[in-house]
């Protein structure tokens, strides 16, 4: 959150115009020991946020910045930004968080190209282990849910192939990935056997809640559960206006949650120790996304990792944590969605697995900013009307950033 321009910025750049701040709501999980999370209630962004190169940056020769000025446009919706990027030069050079549903449009553009990155992200289903009318505290039932889901179909049909299957919560490129780990297979027969063994009550549907961005994914999961387990499934769409209240109920854990499974995405800013930012949030005693009682086995492993100073031993306990989550089927594990970018053909951009970085961005001689007749941006005209965008699969429904 940066409230005003000043002598600060990202290091390679300095903020010279505009601001981007957020207002948060405090969600208390435990007064003693005090544990809380802060939910974004609203955003206050100026129409443009302008960064200029920090020419005194200590690592400029090695890393950058390579461009003099970058403008983030907050006055465009994601669909408007994408349209301007792929239909002309001079308005938008990079669009983040492109939906897989739009990837082909970018690939066929004469002005831009699609850049993909295996990112530190997970898409999963939280299992509400606190339900009292269904046996979601049963490992057999949770394994049945995992065996019932065809992950390949979710990746191919739900995300147009722009995702990687993962066994549990750690992508294969991160430290802490257990060697030889493989995802649960799609095994409807074994799924049905374990589901019936677990004693799911006859006639009780499985209720899957989902934010609007992942409705299509939830429907694919629902289809698999119906076919594999012979059970009715209800998909509950959570409108954007109800998302904050729903998030608060999940974080504070005071109210009964009205769902059995929740399609949920999360990310990690580091590849070094994923449980610190991912597993703990979903399963830890102080995890914002934990649904159900604390898991003593998980908390014991995490406590060991939290005080481990030796790098090699830290990786081993991180592997143990990921393996524990898999063996106990603490979630319905799905995949790691890729990060997709639309990038102007005259812009060189290399994605990171973690954050959006532009220090190394360069432009070639054909870029609009280097053309004598295009001193000012000259795109294809007024932005198009914002299209209905909610049914496109995305990452956490995040708005695209354009610069």
């Amino acid at each position: 959150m940066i409230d005003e321009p000043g002598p600060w910025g990202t290091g390679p750049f300095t903020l010279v115009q505009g601001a981007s701040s957020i207002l948060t709501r405090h969600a208390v999980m435990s007064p003693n020991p005090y544990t809380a999370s802060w939910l974004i209630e609203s955003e206050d962004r100026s129409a443009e946020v302008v960064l200029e190169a920090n020419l005194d940056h200590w690592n400029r020769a090695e890393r950058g910045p390579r461009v003099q000025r970058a403008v983030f446009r907050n006055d465009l919706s994601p669909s408007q930004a994408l349209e301007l990027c792929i239909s002309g030069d001079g308005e938008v050079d990079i669009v983040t968080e492109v939906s897989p549903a739009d990837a082909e449009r970018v690939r066929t553009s004469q002005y831009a190209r699609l850049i993909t990155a295996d990112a530190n992200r997970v898409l999963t289903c939280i299992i509400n282990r606190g339900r009292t009318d269904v046996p979601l505290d049963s490992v057999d039932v949770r394994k049945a849910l995992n065996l019932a889901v065809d992950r390949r179909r979710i990746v191919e049909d739900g995300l147009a192939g722009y995702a990687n299957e993962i066994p549990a919560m750690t992508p294969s490129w991160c430290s802490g990935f257990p060697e030889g780990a493989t995802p649960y297979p799609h095994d409807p027969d074994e799924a049905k056997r374990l589901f019936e063994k677990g004693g799911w009550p006859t006639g009780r549907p499985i209720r899957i809640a989902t934010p609007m961005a992942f409705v299509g994914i939830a429907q694919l999961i629902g289809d698999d559960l119906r076919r594999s387990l012979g059970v009715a499934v209800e998909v509950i769409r959570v409108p954007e206006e109800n998302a904050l209240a729903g998030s608060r109920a999940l974080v504070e854990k005071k109210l009964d949650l009205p769902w059995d499974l929740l399609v949920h995405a999360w990310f990690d800013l580091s590849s070094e120790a994923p449980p610190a930012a991912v597993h703990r949030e979903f399963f830890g005693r102080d995890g914002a996304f934990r649904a159900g009682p604390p898991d003593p086995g998980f908390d014991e492993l995490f406590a060991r990792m939290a005080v481990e100073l030796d790098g090699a031993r830290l990786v081993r306990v991180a592997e143990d944590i990921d393996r524990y989550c898999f063996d106990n089927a603490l979630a319905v594990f799905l995949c790691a969605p890729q990060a997709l970018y639309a990038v102007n053909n005259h812009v060189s951009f290399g994605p990171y697995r973690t954050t959006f970085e532009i220090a190394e961005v360069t432009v070639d001689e054909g870029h609009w900013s280097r053309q004598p007749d295009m001193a000012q941006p000259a795109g294809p005209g007024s932005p198009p009307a914002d299209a209905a965008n909610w049914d496109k699969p995305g990452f956490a429904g995040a708005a695209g950033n354009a610069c």
Side-chain angles (χ1 to χ4, degrees), residues 123-125 127 141-169 182-188 191 217 220-221 224-225 227-228 325-326 329-337:
L123 180 63
T124 190
C125 278
I127 297 177
V141 170
R142 298 199 300 265
K143 285 186 175 179
L145 298 174
N146 274 280
L147 292 166
V149 173
D150 185 347
R151 288 165 186 76
R152 174 61 54 188
R153 193 167 75 99
I154 288 174
V155 169
E156 296 298 330
D157 295 349
L159 296 166
Y162 295 104
N164 297 284
E165 294 184 56
I166 52 176
M169 307 296 270
T182 57
Y184 281 99
H186 180 219
D187 188 342
I217 301 294
L220 290 174
I221 296 169
D224 282 345
L225 299 183
R227 281 194 292 259
S228 298
C325 295
F326 177 88
L330 292 183
V332 180
F333 308 112
L334 298 177
C335 61

Side-chain angles (χ1 to χ4, degrees), residues 226-249:
R226 291 187 190 97
R227 281 194 292 259
S228 298
L229 306 178
V231 65
V233 176
E234 295 177 0
V235 174
I236 306 167
R237 302 181 179 211
V238 181
E240 183 66 16
E241 60 269 24
N242 295 343
L244 182 62
S247 298
R248 184 170 184 176

Side-chain angles (χ1 to χ4, degrees), residues 19 41 70 86 90 96-97 115 187 251 274 308 325 357 376 385 387:
E41 194 168 47
I86 66 176
T96 66
E97 305 301 342
I115 291 182
D187 188 342
V251 171
E308 183 56 67
C325 295
E357 302 283 350
Q376 298 296 323

Side-chain angles (χ1 to χ4, degrees), residues 278-307:
V278 179
H279 302 63
R280 183 195 60 78
E281 286 284 22
F282 284 92
F283 313 122
R285 180 174 294 275
D286 61 349
F289 313 142
R290 175 173 53 77
D295 185 309
F298 177 90
D299 288 335
E300 189 275 334
L301 284 170
F302 192 81
R304 283 172 46 200
M305 186 184 126
V307 297

